[in-house]
Amino acid sequence: MKILFLASECAPFIKTGGLADVIGSLPVALAERGHDVRVMIPCYSCIPAEWRDRMEEAARIDPLFGWKREEARILRFVDRGVVWYFIDAPSRFSVYLIYGDGMAEAERFAFFCRAALDSLDALGFFPDVLHCNDWQTGLVPALLKAQYASRPGYGGIRTVFSVHNLRYQGIFNFRHLNGALGFPEDWFTPDKLEFYGCLNCMKTGLVFADRVSTVSPTYAHDVMTPEGGDQLDGVLRARGDGVTGIVNGIDTVSYDPGRDPWIAKQYTAADYAEGKAACKAALQEETGLSVRPDVPLIGMITRLVDQKGLDLVHETLHGLVDRDVQFVFLGSGERRYIEFLGRASETRRGSVAFRCALDERLAHRIYAGADLFLMPSAFEPCGLSQLIAQRYGCVPIVRETGGLKDTVRPYNRFTGEGDGFTFSNYSAADLGDAVLRAVDVYRNCPEAMDGLIRSGMGKDFTWLHSAAEYESLYALVAGDRVVTTDAPKGKNAGKAAEEPKEAHVKKTKPAGRKKPAAKGKKAD
Ligand code: ADP
């Protein structure tokens, strides 16, 4: 199948959270299974030069956005069997923050949606499935139906819309934005675009996509309920075809303690004790914690927002530190949490460390060096950190919600089975209790701890199973198109990469060509 992913971020080029990890690794897994897979993201000016230097121009477009045309280049390079496209529109994406507030952000991603659709014609690449992700791409299924479906090549495209986090919806002033988008005015109704008097990009994706998915079965269930639906549960229920929940995998090459170049000592499940001890000492040293092998060290790597249970951490941290437990926090986000953790790291110097940064390397060293990993989320669509932590033998302590419930089996002290420590109620007391249970096992039951570490490190976190589930979903939306599920790994992926289909188009439609104005006008 021909599959094009659209998203606002993608590792390793640009990342603020788990969405980037998914967009950087699921397409590779699908390409390895024989599909022609491509990914398109904005070309932010903060994408490092090491990647920019590898990009070449694939096409030029000049989408009509409001009353004027805006020029943009489609840059690309091929890596790991996938064609990675970047929409280079400096007037839109030359900012450091990839997410901001207000109309600038609304217009930026509305432009991205318009440009992505225009680029298909310019590239001569019409996918069977256009896989949109989160609100930043939510307008695409509606634009496709309203303005592109009758154009040559576009009619056969089917859309999948994946929700990575329903909380962020992209809600904007309809009148303002529609000046640039040109939806029919009579589409501004509650069954289509309207949401409490505004345009809601997430809702638009949920209404107009051919199929909706999210990143774990439990979250798929939760978003259909008033408690977990963030005011969109009714929209989801009204679709009638439900939400498909597919758990994320991780990039097991980048996250591999046996080969990780950023950690103090590499290790595998067979010899983790020595490796993790070295990583722990190095982490304690690096972050200013007392270098003590015996003290349980708990890591937390997260966006510092309500969702992640920081208010529970706020309530329990000092009491837990009093029990001779160390914490290392890495994250950025809301000021109140930054200030709290900053203060805690000063008053509990040697026991609490905090780095306010986005630091991929330190993140790897925390996964490798910490004994336990804390994720007390209020809700969690899937969560990748608990998967990465398990791969590094860092035993998770999680709240039983969404993907955390689907990926961490609670430790059973009678049978020894399980992967981590869990609690159910969103309360500081229950979080404290779960941490103390984990600390007790760490201190007093080394064999049980060994079992937990080995269980986590032995789990299969590759995309193998989930990629097959996405294939089934794509087959469902694309109807009778043939799906290849048994292609040998990597065989066709390399071929697609060497012979990108738009090469021919580039020759016949030279870069820089202008589309006839009439065509653009009709479309918009
Ligand atoms: P979310 O997408 O909600 O932020 P996930 O658990 O799905 O949460 O994914 C978080 C990803 O971002 C993980 O790969 C985690 O290691 C990474 N991450 C989060 N905060 C930071 C940070 N401050 N520095 C480096 N990596 C981070």
Side-chain angles (χ1 to χ4, degrees), residues 186-194 203 207-208:
D186 62 2
W187 277 29
F188 193 57
T189 51
D191 61 325
K192 292 197 174 74
L193 304 174
E194 196 261 348
K203 173 182 169 174
V207 170
F208 285 92

Side-chain angles (χ1 to χ4, degrees), residues 15 18 21 255 301 303 308 331 357-359 367 384-385 388:
K15 166 173 167 175
D21 285 319
Y255 295 115
I301 302 167
R303 292 180 294 116
K308 300 296 183 178
L358 265 171
D359 187 337
Y367 289 122
L384 293 177
S385 296
I388 304 167

Side-chain angles (χ1 to χ4, degrees), residues 379-433:
F379 70 94
E380 195 61 71
C382 178
L384 293 177
S385 296
Q386 83 281 9
L387 306 182
I388 304 167
Q390 289 179 72
R391 179 135 170 92
Y392 280 78
C394 183
V395 178
I397 305 169
V398 304
R399 179 163 172 263
E400 292 163 15
T401 180
L404 297 175
K405 191 173 176 183
D406 294 336
T407 58
V408 180
R409 292 174 305 147
Y411 168 63
N412 181 325
R413 68 192 170 98
F414 300 109
T415 64
E417 286 172 350
D419 322 303
F421 300 89
T422 71
F423 64 103
S424 169
N425 290 331
Y426 190 76
S427 83
D430 288 17
L431 162 64
D433 178 63

Side-chain angles (χ1 to χ4, degrees), residues 9 15-22 164-165 168 215 248 250 255 300-305 307-308 329-333 355-364 367 373 375 377 379-388 404:
E9 55 180 280
K15 166 173 167 175
T16 69
L19 172 63
D21 285 319
V22 174
H164 297 258
N165 195 330
Y168 305 98
V215 287
N248 289 331
I250 57 172
Y255 295 115
M300 197 165 170
I301 302 167
T302 183
R303 292 180 294 116
L304 298 174
V305 295
Q307 177 200 336
K308 300 296 183 178
F329 296 94
L330 169 63
S332 62
R355 289 285 178 281
C356 179
L358 265 171
D359 187 337
E360 191 72 34
R361 291 167 192 239
L362 178 58
H364 283 233
Y367 289 122
F373 193 86
M375 261 180 112
S377 306
F379 70 94
E380 195 61 71
C382 178
L384 293 177
S385 296
Q386 83 281 9
L387 306 182
I388 304 167
L404 297 175

